[in-house]
Amino acid sequence: MNVNSWTICLGAFLAFLAITLMTDNIQWGFVAGLSISVGGFKWLRIKRKEAKEELEYDERVNLNILQCSLYVYSGALVLLLSYLIISSQILHNISINIELLIWYLVITLFLGFYIVPVIIKRR
């Protein structure tokens, strides 16, 4: 089967539809569809890069991309962990809206996978 962007979008939509119908909750369908689309497009980008069989960037650039992505993920996790600790230990009330948490994680993944590599490659 030839996997392209349309196949990934169709798979993400079908996963969204199936999970939403099974759980009667649109949030979990959104998470499933988003996971498939992000993973699929990442996989597609890696396969296209392997098909070129040429090195676009040297090891230093790849190391910088990896390092900056790690900084983004570490900062996001520290921010989320500090919120959870403060709300549970000091405020004694954890009131996380699941939609905001999903958006927070989506933005974090988007920054780490797409925005940071583009910025580092243009330096």
Side-chain angles (χ1 to χ4, degrees):
M1 179 177 183
N2 188 12
V3 177
N4 56 20
S5 59
W6 287 107
T7 309
I8 294 170
C9 290
L10 180 65
F13 177 72
L14 291 177
F16 167 77
L17 191 63
I19 298 297
T20 302
L21 291 176
M22 285 191 297
T23 62
D24 289 333
N25 194 347
I26 197 166
Q27 295 169 347
W28 293 114
F30 180 71
V31 169
L34 191 64
S35 301
I36 288 175
S37 62
V38 167
F41 283 119
K42 180 71 174 172
W43 178 78
L44 193 62
R45 189 171 69 173
I46 289 171
K47 289 298 179 184
R48 286 181 183 166
K49 189 176 181 181
E50 288 176 357
K52 287 183 182 179
E53 295 181 0
E54 63 184 48
L55 293 175
E56 291 184 19
Y57 306 102
D58 61 351
E59 289 298 318
R60 291 178 293 147
V61 174
N62 290 334
L63 184 64
N64 286 342
I65 290 171
L66 182 66
Q67 211 170 26
C68 288
S69 294
L70 181 64
Y71 290 153
V72 167
Y73 293 136
S74 299
L77 286 176
V78 165
L79 187 64
L80 182 61
L81 184 64
S82 62
Y83 169 75
L84 290 174
I85 289 172
I86 289 171
S87 64
S88 68
Q89 298 298 320
I90 296 173
L91 302 176
H92 301 293
N93 184 14
I94 299 177
S95 59
I96 291 182
N97 186 355
I98 191 70
E99 292 174 0
L100 292 177
L101 184 62
I102 289 171
W103 280 108
Y104 179 77
L105 294 175
V106 166
I107 290 170
T108 302
L109 287 174
F110 187 73
L111 282 173
F113 280 140
Y114 297 105
I115 302 298
V116 170
V118 168
I119 292 171
I120 298 299
K121 288 177 185 176
R122 290 188 182 181
R123 279 189 182 176

